[in-house]
Amino acid sequence: MRQYSLQTHDDIPSEKLFTGEPARLGSTRTQKPPFEAKNPFLASITVNRELHKKGDRSCMHIEFDITGSRIRYDAGDHIAVYPTNNSELVDRFGQRLNADLGQVFSLNNVDEDASKKHPFPCPTTYRTALLHYLDITSCPRTNVLKELSDYTEDAKDKAFLASMAQATPEGKELYTDWIINHHRTLLHVLEDLPSVNPPIDHVCELLPRLQARYYSISSSPKINATTVAITAVLIEYTTKTGRHQQGVATSWLKLKRPTDDLQPKVPVFVRKSQFRLPFKPSIPVIMIGPGTGLAPFRGFIQDRQCQRKDGKPVGETVLFFGCRHEDEDFIYEDELKAFLEDGTLTQLHTAFSRDQPEKIYVQHLLRQQKDEVWRLLELGGHIYVCGDARHMAHDVDEVLHDIVIEHGNMTREKASDYLKKMRSRGRYSCDVWS
Ligand SMILES: Cc1cc2nc3c(=O)[nH]c(=O)nc-3n(C[C@H](O)[C@H](O)[C@H](O)COP(=O)(O)OP(=O)(O)OC[C@H]3O[C@@H](n4cnc5c(N)ncnc54)[C@H](O)[C@@H]3O)c2cc1C
Ligand SMILES: NC(=O)c1ccc[n+]([C@@H]2O[C@H](COP(=O)([O-])OP(=O)(O)OC[C@H]3O[C@@H](n4cnc5c(N)ncnc54)[C@H](OP(=O)(O)O)[C@@H]3O)[C@@H](O)[C@H]2O)c1
């Protein structure tokens, strides 16, 4: 039973067609503040520079120009980017589904009383829907596989799709292996099971909405209020089926050259966060950010540098940074060394995980510096952690517990309360993602 019915249109004037706007028709043609998630600002890219010195990975320093947007931000905020899917991939989708991507259509909710009339802005073309509105690169959920099983005459493929959709241990195992572990997207499923031929409008109904990507802002408005910088690692990997996959947003941003006036601009909006420097600049700060976790701290350090220049008493500013190799992915090395030289950074601790036989991570250096960490905590210092949510933030938290237990002469329970209190008072903040 479908939730949306297909309506095709052959005579809609072009100004009535959605061309990628997330909500309001024409919002990308006539830009009006305030800019937010439903009304993003079209920013041009003024800088797109590689931060890795060598190696096969890429980390981009990108600057967006937000002049005229009236967008305000603080160091520690996030900027969201609405990406566009790869156009060759969209063409491949169209070919596989044997569809005319130029066809204008609407998907209308069959329940006329429902508040959500369409799954994404309609009327639009299939090409626009696949480029801007639909997530065509993530793994399909089990309910989608179940729906696909209706579109094959091949008994084996039908049973295979249906079995992956079953909530039994065998079904879950099959789904985890064939879809998740092999990172098969919907297109990969259709390529690997050629007997399955769903109509494009149903595929558009089944695919999830393409989401905006968030980035920690890596600049300070005190340096330039109309420039927002991000520090983004290019996502690239090969799946077990041998397919080369690229992250939607990062591969799209990678190709954007500042000099090219013909490049479409980037739809962005700023999301305020709680990740903030102490209100009083004299309070010491300890920042822990390996890899792209350094991003918000670049903004924080720029902020502190400006406060010093303004003659304010600025407290100690300590950074723990980690990367794989000193001569490869030590991002912003020159800037960090300059901050150290001019006294903005009072300590810089670097963990180069792969430059010696055993791994050295930020939390190992934090443990080495336990006396210093405790001294700064006793001075009322704030702790910030940014980057990998899966392991690093947890490991850092463990070391902080150990430091508080040892130096504060506390039980584990008391140490947890101490750190909990720090969190609730905004003295221990995390900006982490996985
Ligand atoms: C609050 C917040 C702040 C963030 N800040 C930053 C930041 O400062 N810098 C930054 O670079 N990113 C940051 N991110 C992550 C960012 O939002 C995007 O998720 C990231 O850039 C990838 O987007 P993409 O569209 O390029 O990749 P997608 O197309 O979304 O692909 C990413 C997906 O690919 C899969 N994948 C990735 N690597 C592999 C692999 N090796 N093997 C198999 N599958 C894999 C995973 O499923 C992953 O979720 C932040 C996220 C949040 C929520
Ligand atoms: N959602 C996304 O698509 C997305 C986008 C960007 C980043 N991320 C995730 O965010 C994290 C950071 O990515 P990145 O590319 O910026 O960093 P990175 O270059 O992968 O890692 C930075 C440093 O952190 C080290 N490290 C690994 N595990 C650690 C741990 N448990 N504790 C402390 N340090 C650890 C790494 O060491 P070794 O590698 O030598 O072990 C390396 O020296 C990764 O987990 C990545 O998967 C996700």
Side-chain angles (χ1 to χ4, degrees), residues 78 213-216 231-233 235 237 247-250 271 292 433:
H78 299 127
R213 274 35 174 192
Y214 288 93
Y215 295 92
S216 304
T231 307
V233 148
I235 300 294
Y237 56 97
V248 177
T250 49
R271 183 176 71 177
T292 41
W433 66 89

Side-chain angles (χ1 to χ4, degrees), residues 362-370 398-399 402-403:
V362 282
Q363 60 270 29
H364 301 133
L365 302 188
L366 197 68
R367 195 182 288 283
Q368 276 173 17
Q369 296 297 319
K370 57 187 180 175
E398 276 303 306
V399 173
D402 289 345
I403 294 174

Side-chain angles (χ1 to χ4, degrees), residues 12 22 40 45 57 70 84 89 97 107 193 211 217 238 261 272 287 290 293 298 378 382 386 395 401 425 428:
I12 285 203
I45 286 184
R57 294 190 310 149
R70 290 197 223 153
T84 301
L89 200 61
L97 294 169
L107 286 178
L193 301 174
Q211 301 293 324
I217 293 179
T238 302
D261 288 341
K272 291 271 155 204
M287 301 169 287
R298 182 174 180 266
E378 286 291 90
H382 287 212
C386 180
D395 295 350
H401 269 85
R425 293 181 178 165
Y428 175 17

Side-chain angles (χ1 to χ4, degrees), residues 50-52 55-60 232-236 254:
E50 179 57 53
L51 291 172
H52 286 179
D56 49 13
R57 294 190 310 149
S58 168
C59 183
M60 301 167 275
V233 148
L234 176 67
I235 300 294
E236 242 181 336
K254 175 85 188 155

Side-chain angles (χ1 to χ4, degrees), residues 59 78-79 83 85 135 137-139 180-181 183 210-218 230-239 245-253 271 292-296 386 431-434:
C59 183
H78 299 127
I79 187 162
N85 281 311
D135 176 348
T137 59
S138 61
C139 296
I180 304 293
N181 294 347
H183 201 102
L210 182 61
Q211 301 293 324
R213 274 35 174 192
Y214 288 93
Y215 295 92
S216 304
I217 293 179
S218 59
I230 63 167
T231 307
V233 148
L234 176 67
I235 300 294
E236 242 181 336
Y237 56 97
T238 302
T239 70
Q245 285 286 102
Q246 287 199 316
V248 177
T250 49
S251 63
W252 180 67
L253 288 168
R271 183 176 71 177
T292 41
L294 176 58
C386 180
D431 179 28
V432 292
W433 66 89
S434 53

Side-chain angles (χ1 to χ4, degrees), residues 104-317:
V104 177
F105 76 111
S106 295
L107 286 178
N108 303 318
N109 203 321
V110 289
D111 175 0
E112 287 176 6
D113 299 330
S115 55
K116 191 173 162 191
K117 301 287 178 218
H118 315 284
F120 45 79
C122 295
T124 189
T125 63
Y126 286 120
R127 185 180 299 284
T128 299
L130 292 172
L131 280 172
H132 298 283
Y133 296 136
L134 297 168
D135 176 348
I136 59 173
T137 59
S138 61
C139 296
R141 289 168 170 266
T142 51
N143 69 309
V144 174
L145 301 176
K146 175 85 187 66
E147 297 281 346
L148 287 185
S149 70
D150 287 345
Y151 294 106
T152 173
E153 297 300 317
D154 184 298
K156 207 164 133 256
D157 288 350
K158 197 184 265 300
F160 180 59
L161 286 168
S163 60
M164 279 191 290
Q166 268 173 4
T168 57
E170 301 78 43
K172 283 181 189 162
E173 197 178 318
L174 199 57
Y175 173 78
T176 305
D177 179 49
W178 205 72
I179 297 289
I180 304 293
N181 294 347
H182 285 76
H183 201 102
R184 278 191 170 86
T185 66
L186 188 65
L187 180 58
H188 299 158
V189 172
L190 295 174
E191 284 174 346
D192 292 347
L193 301 174
S195 77
V196 184
N197 287 298
I200 187 169
D201 59 289
H202 198 180
V203 168
C204 289
E205 175 173 334
L206 293 173
L207 287 166
R209 225 15 226 271
L210 182 61
Q211 301 293 324
R213 274 35 174 192
Y214 288 93
Y215 295 92
S216 304
I217 293 179
S218 59
S219 56
S220 159
K222 291 190 169 65
I223 300 270
N224 185 344
T226 56
T227 292
V228 173
I230 63 167
T231 307
V233 148
L234 176 67
I235 300 294
E236 242 181 336
Y237 56 97
T238 302
T239 70
K240 282 188 185 170
T241 62
R243 291 173 165 109
H244 180 68
Q245 285 286 102
Q246 287 199 316
V248 177
T250 49
S251 63
W252 180 67
L253 288 168
K254 175 85 188 155
L255 295 175
K256 296 216 162 283
R257 302 265 62 96
T259 44
D260 188 349
D261 288 341
L262 296 175
Q263 288 267 10
K265 294 180 178 181
V266 180
V268 299
F269 64 93
V270 164
R271 183 176 71 177
K272 291 271 155 204
S273 88
Q274 303 287 323
F275 204 67
R276 285 281 183 276
L277 275 171
F279 184 68
K280 270 197 197 161
S282 59
I283 291 177
V285 298
I286 300 173
M287 301 169 287
I288 303 154
T292 41
L294 176 58
F297 302 139
R298 182 174 180 266
F300 278 9
I301 301 167
Q302 287 182 348
D303 252 19
R304 303 270 273 190
Q305 186 184 50
C306 291
Q307 287 165 338
R308 290 179 83 230
K309 283 186 183 155
D310 290 346
K312 293 188 182 139
V314 174
E316 289 176 63
T317 306

